[in-house]
């Protein structure tokens, strides 16, 4: 397994403004049971009101409100904005609640293990992935994982925008491309080629281009993606990167739509090879200008350190990483023409 720490700087405090948790109580403050206060906060957020949370926890609403207020005093920041109609998390509250969920979950798991009550991983696993990669490669791994672990449920968030793990309450992300600095751990599972392709019917009407500069004269289908927009090529004689801002004949927001339009002869398109895999195998698309392709881009599983992760996430990484590597092993090489 290939593991790389992307950075040593804690991410959530810098990016999300989450409060730094003090190690001691403020002078003169009531002694606070921090875990109980976290439970009170999460119950309030989950139920949407202090009164509903108080009923669930079987404590007076005034007591619950005081515990949440004491937690805010200890942190030195507001977590909740309370009005007569609703409760709203502040930015700091959003980050703190995400961290508190993981902390309490880990505490419950350790209690189960310590008591010998159960060694079974349980709870909800939340995974985010790009749409096509998730549908074609991640979902076929999640399905047998759920069969192997009946006490785990899963939520697969498919988006071609990189969803933040904290904001989306996700345990793990499948990411295409080079990674930004983070305190998260990246497990590489493969590489993907960005490929330029067109249908045989389109190429019968328009001679195939010989240089990337010629592409501005062609009808193009642009997949609006953080990974593939703008179009990039590498000049083999110099190694320099050429960037093209294409004026699309058709612009789409999913790779399968770009492939479908290219198959129908609307124009050239630039997608990752796994997006066009079936069309390439069936002869519906042909790869163009392979000698000008940029280097294949890495695909990673991005997650917290193993010291911090829940048991269900450890099990999923151990289960999924080798299967995803095998699923992606045929990509990342110039083996098609």
């Amino acid at each position: 397994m290939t593991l790389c720490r992307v950075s040593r700087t804690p991410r959530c405090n810098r990016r999300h403004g989450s409060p730094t948790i003090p190690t001691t109580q403020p002078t003169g403050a009531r002694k606070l049971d921090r875990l109980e206060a976290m439970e009170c906060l999460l119950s309030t957020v989950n139920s949407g009101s202090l009164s509903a949370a108080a009923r669930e926890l079987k404590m007076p609403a005034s007591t619950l409100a005081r515990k949440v207020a004491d937690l805010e005093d200890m942190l030195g920041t507001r977590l909740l904005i309370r009005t007569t109609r609703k409760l709203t998390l502040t930015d700091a509250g959003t980050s703190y609640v995400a961290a508190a969920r993981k902390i309490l979950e880990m505490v419950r798991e350790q209690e189960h293990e310590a008591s010998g009550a159960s060694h079974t991983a349980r709870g909800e696993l939340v995974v985010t992935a790009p749409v096509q990669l998730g549908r074609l490669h991640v979902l076929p791994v999640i399905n047998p994982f759920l069969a192997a672990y009946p006490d785990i449920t899963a939520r697969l968030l498919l988006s071609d925008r990189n969803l933040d793990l904290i904001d989306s309450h996700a345990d793990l992300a499948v990411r295409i491309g080079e990674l930004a600095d983070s305190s998260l751990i990246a497990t590489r599972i493969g590489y993907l080629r960005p490929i330029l392709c067109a249908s045989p019917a389109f190429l019968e009407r328009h001679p195939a281009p010989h240089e990337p500069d010629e592409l501005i004269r062609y009808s193009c289908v642009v997949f609006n993606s953080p990974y593939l927009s703008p179009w990039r090529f590498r000049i083999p004689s110099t190694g320099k990167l050429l960037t093209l801002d294409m004026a699309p004949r058709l612009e789409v927001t999913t790779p399968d739509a770009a492939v479908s339009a290219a198959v129908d002869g609307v124009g050239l398109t630039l997608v990752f090879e796994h997006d066009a895999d079936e069309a390439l195998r069936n002869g519906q698309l042909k790869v163009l200008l392979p000698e000008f392709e940029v280097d294949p881009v890495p695909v990673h599983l991005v997650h917290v350190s193993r010291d911090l992760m829940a048991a269900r996430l450890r099990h999923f990484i151990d289960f999924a990483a080798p299967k995803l590597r095998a699923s992606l092993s045929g990509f990342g090489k110039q083996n098609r023409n």
Side-chain angles (χ1 to χ4, degrees), residues 24 64 89 102 110 200 300:
T24 59
L64 186 145
L89 283 169
K102 295 184 183 298
Q110 291 303 316
H300 292 95

Side-chain angles (χ1 to χ4, degrees), residues 14-179:
R14 306 185 82 189
R15 182 172 177 183
H16 296 279
S18 58
T20 301
I21 300 177
T23 55
T24 59
Q25 300 287 341
T27 303
R30 288 185 291 267
K31 186 174 181 180
L32 178 67
D33 185 326
R34 195 174 305 181
L35 293 180
E36 183 186 23
M38 286 181 180
E39 289 276 16
C40 290
L41 175 64
L42 291 185
S43 182
T44 300
V45 171
N46 292 338
S47 61
S49 72
L50 287 168
S51 57
R55 287 193 297 272
E56 178 185 329
L57 297 175
K58 296 180 173 57
M59 68 170 59
S62 58
T63 301
L64 186 145
R66 188 188 70 243
K67 290 181 182 295
V68 173
D70 287 348
L71 180 61
E72 291 177 322
D73 288 343
M74 184 192 71
L75 295 172
T77 190
R78 177 69 65 86
L79 302 176
L80 289 171
I81 298 174
R82 297 177 279 275
T83 67
T84 55
R85 293 188 175 183
K86 65 177 182 178
L87 293 172
T88 305
L89 283 169
T90 63
D91 289 344
T94 299
S95 298
Y96 188 85
V97 163
R101 288 187 197 280
K102 295 184 183 298
I103 290 169
L104 291 173
E105 195 170 299
M106 289 176 64
V107 169
R108 283 191 286 268
E109 286 184 355
Q110 291 303 316
E111 288 174 345
H112 277 292
E113 290 187 14
S115 66
S118 173
H119 296 285
T120 304
R122 63 184 70 244
E124 183 183 56
L125 176 75
V126 182
V127 178
T128 176
V131 176
Q132 281 288 87
L133 191 65
R135 185 177 68 83
L136 297 175
H137 300 280
V138 179
L139 185 60
V141 172
I142 288 179
N143 294 339
F145 175 76
L146 292 178
Y149 293 90
D151 290 327
I152 295 177
T153 61
R155 187 153 48 99
L156 178 59
L157 308 176
L158 298 179
S159 174
D160 286 314
R161 302 292 172 185
N162 285 340
L163 300 181
D164 186 88
L165 287 180
I166 293 177
D167 290 345
S168 59
H169 299 161
D171 299 296
L172 178 142
V174 182
R175 293 274 166 82
I176 298 173
E178 299 298 335
L179 299 172

